[in-house]
Amino acid sequence: PPPIVIGELEINCWGRGAYLHGQPVALTPTEFRLLEAMAKSPGRVFTREELLARVFGPDFEGLDRTIDVHITNLRRKIESDGEQRYIVTVHGLGYRLGDTR
């Protein structure tokens, strides 16, 4: 499948890589799965529970705040200026991948 492109962020699901401004982004496997899950439905708001199930599987018994830690780490790697351009917090609901066309 072709890469998913959102602004300057390119996500290659088949090759398991992410690129920002054409440069590779060093993501952990968990960070990539999280980004991939949101990238496959850009604009859709995901609850923490949905992201946990998609990233860790339905039998994960950890806290839903685990997602917040991974989101924070992912943002540090793809949000260069601290703005929520790519990963947007939807207060009271969860997260969505932004549309930065």
Side-chain angles (χ1 to χ4, degrees):
I4 299 167
V5 178
I6 299 166
E8 295 294 322
L9 179 64
E10 180 180 311
I11 303 141
N12 183 333
C13 297
W14 189 76
R16 311 289 296 169
Y19 304 87
L20 185 61
H21 304 288
Q23 299 298 315
V25 180
L27 300 178
T28 66
T30 300
E31 291 165 351
F32 183 81
R33 286 192 307 269
L34 182 58
L35 184 60
E36 178 184 36
M38 290 189 293
K40 288 184 175 179
S41 297
R44 178 177 181 251
V45 177
F46 290 90
T47 65
R48 288 179 181 90
E49 293 79 15
E50 288 174 313
L51 290 171
L52 281 172
R54 287 175 182 247
V55 172
F56 295 105
D59 297 327
F60 181 75
E61 294 187 18
L63 300 173
D64 64 353
R65 294 297 179 170
T66 299
I67 287 297
D68 297 343
V69 173
H70 291 290
I71 290 284
T72 299
N73 293 336
L74 187 53
R75 279 184 173 147
R76 281 189 193 125
K77 294 177 181 183
I78 65 172
E79 305 282 3
S80 59
D81 54 10
E83 288 188 32
Q84 292 184 10
R85 178 176 300 120
Y86 295 107
I87 300 174
V88 179
T89 300
V90 180
H91 293 283
L93 294 174
Y95 301 99
R96 70 174 171 84
L97 207 57
D99 181 7
T100 61
R101 285 183 239 164

